[in-house]
Amino acid sequence: MTTFQPLIAAAASPSSQTIPYPARYPVAIIGAGALGLSFAARIARTLRVAVVARDRAAAARLRQGVRVGDTLFQPEAWAPEEAPQADWVIVLVKTWDTAAAARSAARMQPLGVLSLQNGLVEPVLQAHCPLPRVAQGITTTGAFRDASGVTPSGDGEVLVPPGFEALASMLARAGLDARVEDDIVPARLTKLLVNLAINPLAALFRVRNGELLEAPYRLWLDALVAEAWPVLCAEGLALDEAAAHARVRAVAQATATNRASMLQDVLAGRPTELDAITGVLIELAARQGAAVPTHRAVHRLLSLVEAPAG
């Protein structure tokens, strides 16, 4: 295993006077989960990047180093109340932490704030971060974390809305497949479709993404896509039904070894993003008067898995 220390001599507290931490970073990431750390490790190869952890204790642990892939990554980690200024802030927290992350991002005085989260969180982000350039993009990259560290799984793409060209260029220089998408709404809905099909099933049956392409899970996968497709089309999804099925299957194949984020949460005993993904579709369907019985069944079953014992 190699050790990667991004442009600093050693991991230390950001308050240390012996390490020249910048007053303002080019990029900051709020969220030190598997995907946030995977992004940070990539970006840190070419740029200074601040990682905003949950609290001071978490930041201190991160500064001691975490394995990302086959390297020991020692991020420049900060607590939210000590977060530095940054030109661009990427939000990669769980959906229920969006409001708090948005407030932290606003305090960092950035040029722009970009969410790469699951679900449809842009309204929440904008409500709590009153800056001119706050939006939600998408990423189809994957990563999971276990006791040994973070394992990137599946090189996807990063799509950002207009106004984030400079950030897209930074991400591309770091080796990420990043580009500006002029019409980001259909892209967001495509990602939601993929998440609706893969995430809850992987969590419910405790299987990796690729296994969903095999019996008996394939029947569930296809049913979820078939029910979600007309609902999302009414909201702006730009795929025909055959293309919708093909897209979900392609992502499941491309990320075959990945543990979906909901599966990681279930295995770790954490709350999942079920309401921000399947719950959103159920709300949209109710508003449209559409029936989504398989999604409702999956939501109910996974809710029981999440429910505390006793």
Side-chain angles (χ1 to χ4, degrees):
M1 181 186 294
T2 58
T3 300
F4 177 61
Q5 293 173 297
L7 304 177
I8 61 174
S13 168
S15 62
S16 170
Q17 299 303 309
T18 63
I19 301 296
Y21 284 87
R24 188 173 180 88
Y25 284 81
V27 180
I29 294 177
I30 299 179
L35 197 56
L37 289 172
S38 181
F39 265 72
R42 293 281 292 268
I43 296 168
R45 295 170 185 170
T46 57
L47 292 169
R48 300 292 289 266
V49 55
V51 175
V52 181
R54 179 170 296 277
D55 52 34
R56 288 181 180 176
R61 288 193 298 270
L62 284 173
R63 290 193 294 271
Q64 299 306 308
V66 59
R67 182 188 64 79
V68 179
D70 61 357
T71 69
L72 181 65
F73 175 47
Q74 293 177 285
E76 299 181 40
W78 302 74
E81 63 271 22
E82 299 170 339
Q85 294 183 9
D87 291 339
W88 301 95
V89 175
I90 299 172
V91 177
L92 275 168
V93 300
K94 294 294 186 179
T95 51
W96 58 81
D97 280 336
T98 300
R103 291 190 290 268
S104 293
R107 291 194 296 270
M108 298 170 76
Q109 302 179 36
L111 301 174
V113 178
L114 177 72
S115 164
L116 294 176
Q117 299 163 265
N118 290 326
L120 301 176
V121 302
E122 187 174 271
V124 176
L125 201 69
Q126 291 175 343
H128 294 272
C129 186
L131 297 174
R133 192 178 290 137
V134 177
Q136 183 175 6
I138 70 163
T139 183
T140 55
T141 57
F144 64 88
R145 188 171 187 175
D146 56 23
S148 67
V150 174
T151 301
S153 54
D155 265 340
E157 60 185 0
V158 180
L159 304 182
V160 307
F164 290 85
E165 289 81 2
L167 179 57
S169 296
M170 292 177 182
L171 297 178
R173 287 199 299 274
L176 291 158
D177 182 9
R179 62 181 174 84
V180 174
E181 176 59 55
D182 290 335
D183 191 359
I184 199 71
V185 171
R188 286 186 200 139
L189 292 170
T190 298
K191 181 181 179 181
L192 180 59
L193 172 71
V194 170
N195 276 329
L196 281 163
I198 293 175
N199 247 305
L201 285 186
L204 187 59
F205 294 113
R206 303 195 179 198
V207 297
R208 297 185 186 239
N209 293 359
E211 295 176 69
L212 296 175
L213 297 172
E214 308 298 332
Y217 315 116
R218 176 66 173 267
L219 293 174
W220 287 79
L221 190 75
D222 289 345
L224 291 177
V225 174
E227 287 181 9
W229 175 73
V231 175
L232 296 183
C233 281
E235 302 295 323
L237 180 69
L239 297 175
D240 62 32
E241 188 170 6
H245 282 279
R247 175 65 173 173
V248 170
R249 293 167 190 166
V251 172
Q253 185 60 55
T255 61
T257 62
N258 192 34
R259 296 189 187 108
S261 60
M262 278 194 199
L263 173 58
Q264 294 181 58
D265 290 337
V266 167
L267 294 176
R270 298 186 298 256
T272 73
E273 294 181 297
L274 181 64
D275 287 336
I277 296 176
T278 303
V280 164
L281 181 81
I282 291 172
E283 290 175 4
L284 292 174
R287 191 175 70 199
Q288 296 174 19
V292 286
T294 311
H295 286 277
R296 289 184 178 277
V298 167
H299 188 277
R300 177 59 178 157
L301 289 170
L302 195 50
S303 296
L304 292 174
V305 171
E306 280 192 290

